Amino acid sequence: MNLVIYILRRLAISIPVLLVGTFLVFMMVAAAGDPLAELRGRPNINPEAIAETARQLGLDKPIIERYFYWLGHFLTGDWGVSVAQGNAMQPVFPKVMGAFDVTIKLVVGAEILALIVGVAVGVLAAVKQYSIVDYVATTLAFFLFSMPIFCVAIVLKTYAIQINVWIRDLGLTDLLGNPWLRTTSPETLSSTGFGDFLAKYTGAYLLPTLSIMAISFAAYSRFQRASMLETLNMDYVRTARAKGLSGSRVVFRHAFRNALIPVATLFSVNFGQVLTGAIITETVFNWHGMGTLLVQSVSHNDPNTLMGWLVVVAVMVVAANLIADLLYGIMDPRIRVG
């Protein structure tokens, strides 16, 4: 029962946070510039047409009224229309959701893999402190953590191209149909069956997933190692050892659960950063997701598309923090009681 009350309390806190966030973001987007500036600069457009366009888009109203007008329509699924050249008057909702679908598939898979591998390596490095395993894990984590993500992505793409050439030189192109390591987005792929579909999409996701995973893995493994070492030196862990419990039981039953709490915090923060920072990975591998949409909406001063992008990212960040809070309550009952 306490867990249910804890969940409801966290949900109640998240809603006003989102509302305040949308208000602040709307004010900043509105202050960024006139979305009809490009239209006003055309000599063949008369002022009446510009005024009518502004009226249709609600730009002739006071900014506070515009916000509540936007919020009311946004909550009903009407996210407005785009004003970008080439996409003018097209609905924003399918545009944002299409880009979000591309990015979330990439980010979620990469973050889950990075979390699993990072936690496992961090625990192993802590348990085997100052061993060759610890030194290798620490060196790899620092190396990856110090590299910019675009550098990781470009290196992976370069080597993938060389591997594809090697596969072709071995005469395996006909066997595989196409090189398995794809360096373009999955949108450009066509398949003749489920097996072909699985092979092509797996190859298309592999390189960008590894690019994002490498950076996140470094952070998770370092945090997990430090947290695990601190927990292993706690009094209750030493007491468990003194009672004669096995090493694996001490690590996984008494230390591991509490050592995960700082990593859960890092995951909630890192997920939002990875989601917004996917623009670099998408650019390198020619993916048309949230990163590409952000660049387009900013360059064309498209407020409705930009608001849709920002709200989706804000929801995902709040959701990640909410999941972290729920994990706190599950891992440590004292938190939800408090």
Side-chain angles (χ1 to χ4, degrees), residues 223-335:
F223 265 76
Q224 184 63 49
R225 179 186 181 275
S227 179
M228 196 70 184
L229 286 174
E230 182 181 358
T231 305
L232 288 173
N233 291 319
M234 292 291 184
D235 290 339
Y236 68 89
V237 175
R238 288 199 292 265
T239 301
R241 284 174 174 161
K243 288 181 178 180
L245 296 179
S246 64
S248 60
R249 187 177 179 86
V250 170
V251 170
F252 292 105
R253 288 291 301 272
H254 295 274
F256 178 65
R257 186 171 179 175
N258 288 330
L260 276 176
I261 294 178
V263 181
T265 303
L266 176 63
F267 176 79
S268 64
V269 175
N270 192 62
F271 186 83
Q273 293 178 344
V274 170
L275 186 64
T276 55
I279 175 175
I280 298 174
T281 307
E282 291 177 6
T283 301
V284 173
F285 293 103
N286 194 30
W287 282 54
H288 303 294
M290 294 290 280
T292 304
L293 185 64
L294 174 63
V295 173
Q296 292 175 347
S297 60
V298 171
S299 60
H300 293 293
N301 196 9
D302 191 356
N304 286 334
T305 304
L306 185 57
M307 279 301 302
W309 188 95
L310 290 168
V311 171
V312 168
V313 171
V315 169
M316 293 306 299
V317 171
V318 170
N321 282 274
L322 180 60
I323 291 172
D325 287 341
L326 299 183
L327 290 176
Y328 297 159
I330 294 172
M331 291 184 290
D332 190 348
R334 294 173 298 176
I335 294 177

Side-chain angles (χ1 to χ4, degrees), residues 101-117:
D101 180 64
V102 172
T103 299
I104 200 65
K105 289 177 181 177
L106 172 62
V107 170
V108 169
E111 282 297 284
I112 291 176
L113 288 173
L115 185 63
I116 293 173
V117 178

Side-chain angles (χ1 to χ4, degrees), residues 33-52:
D34 181 11
L36 300 182
E38 184 179 353
L39 192 64
R40 298 181 195 278
R42 298 180 183 179
N44 57 336
I45 303 296
N46 60 66
E48 290 77 12
I50 296 175
E52 178 61 21

